[in-house]
Amino acid sequence: MLMNPFLMNIDFKSGDLKPNDRTNIRKLSNMKGMFLDTESERRILESGDPLIYSFSEKVLPEEPGHLQIAMTSINPGKVGQEYYMTKGHYHKLAHTSEVYLGLEGRGCLLMQTGDGIFASLDIRPGVLAYIPPFWGHRMVNTGNTPFIFFAVYPGDAGHNYGDIEKTGFAKILVERNGETFLANNPRWKKGSSF
Ligand code: PAN
Ligand code: ZN
């Protein structure tokens, strides 16, 4: 069936994508066990359930030939020493790629392959990252303001969250003594997805 061309509006400052079909909310309780410091996680959850990030999507056919588009806003904050971040995922069709474009705030893109190759890229407004096939990806907000980015990826890519939920990423982004750096994740084990 022929789809009609259409426009959408992006508010670079707030991250609003309009009109969108779905806004997904990820609170700390939706990410249990994903931050290293589970004691800090428990303490935070005793007094509330902060919004870590949200992302809005236009629902498009999950078919080859189409694209999916999404806008994500990650709040500033930390659980223990670890910055707020997205869950992160591989694509279900692992050989599909993605483009992330930084629009507001500052952050870092963590990537890794199933056999443990790790890479990270600093993202700022106007910086575009190309995530090639087979790289799992997670965005981290390393600033003091919301970190907003645009994403576009193949229509049929799908998402595989399970492998990241099991093992996390090889490295985590933390702040210690005012310094931001990548630390080895003691919980990380080599994945077996590919
Ligand atoms: C992005 C992500 C979005 C939220 O649109 O889905 O930033 O992150 P999680 O999916 O890891 O929760 C994307 O990479 N889509 O493929
Ligand atoms: Zn993706």
Side-chain angles (χ1 to χ4, degrees):
M1 201 174 78
L2 190 65
M3 180 183 279
N4 287 326
F6 62 89
L7 292 172
M8 300 190 73
N9 290 294
I10 295 178
D11 184 329
F12 287 13
K13 289 270 167 229
S14 69
D16 270 3
L17 178 74
K18 280 189 184 141
N20 72 71
D21 299 309
R22 183 165 60 207
T23 296
N24 311 275
I25 302 291
R26 297 287 181 262
K27 295 186 174 184
L28 184 55
S29 62
N30 304 127
M31 298 180 73
K32 272 200 154 173
M34 298 194 92
F35 292 93
L36 182 64
D37 186 345
T38 47
E39 181 50 31
S40 290
E41 178 197 84
R42 192 190 58 73
R43 250 184 288 115
I44 296 168
L45 285 173
E46 268 175 9
S47 57
D49 190 5
L51 176 66
I52 309 294
Y53 65 102
S54 65
F55 58 109
S56 300
E57 302 168 294
K58 167 88 184 147
V59 173
L60 288 159
E62 295 184 1
E63 293 169 8
H66 277 282
L67 297 170
Q68 304 293 342
I69 53 188
M71 281 289 296
T72 305
S73 175
I74 309 177
N75 276 332
K78 289 198 286 287
V79 177
Q81 298 176 327
E82 193 175 3
Y83 292 99
Y84 282 7
M85 61 191 182
T86 60
K87 286 185 172 188
H89 57 265
Y90 294 95
H91 288 163
K92 206 177 272 170
L93 295 186
H95 61 274
T96 55
S97 53
E98 181 151 358
V99 163
Y100 278 174
L101 172 63
L103 297 175
E104 264 296 310
R106 54 185 289 167
C108 187
L109 170 58
L110 309 185
M111 290 161 286
Q112 72 181 32
T113 65
D115 48 10
I117 304 168
F118 179 87
S120 69
L121 293 170
D122 284 333
I123 306 293
R124 301 283 182 273
V127 171
L128 182 151
Y130 183 70
I131 303 162
F134 302 112
W135 288 84
H137 39 285
R138 159 181 286 167
M139 283 287 233
V140 184
N141 185 347
T142 53
N144 301 316
T145 57
F147 175 43
I148 292 167
F149 62 95
F150 174 78
V152 61
Y153 56 101
D156 55 345
H159 294 104
N160 161 12
Y161 290 98
D163 288 313
I164 301 292
E165 277 165 8
K166 263 183 263 148
T167 66
F169 277 71
K171 291 181 189 286
I172 58 174
L173 251 181
V174 295
E175 185 189 69
R176 268 177 222 155
N177 309 321
E179 299 268 328
T180 298
F181 65 94
L182 282 167
N184 286 328
N185 176 6
R187 289 210 304 247
W188 185 76
K189 292 178 212 72
K190 273 193 178 188
S192 55
S193 37
F194 316 115

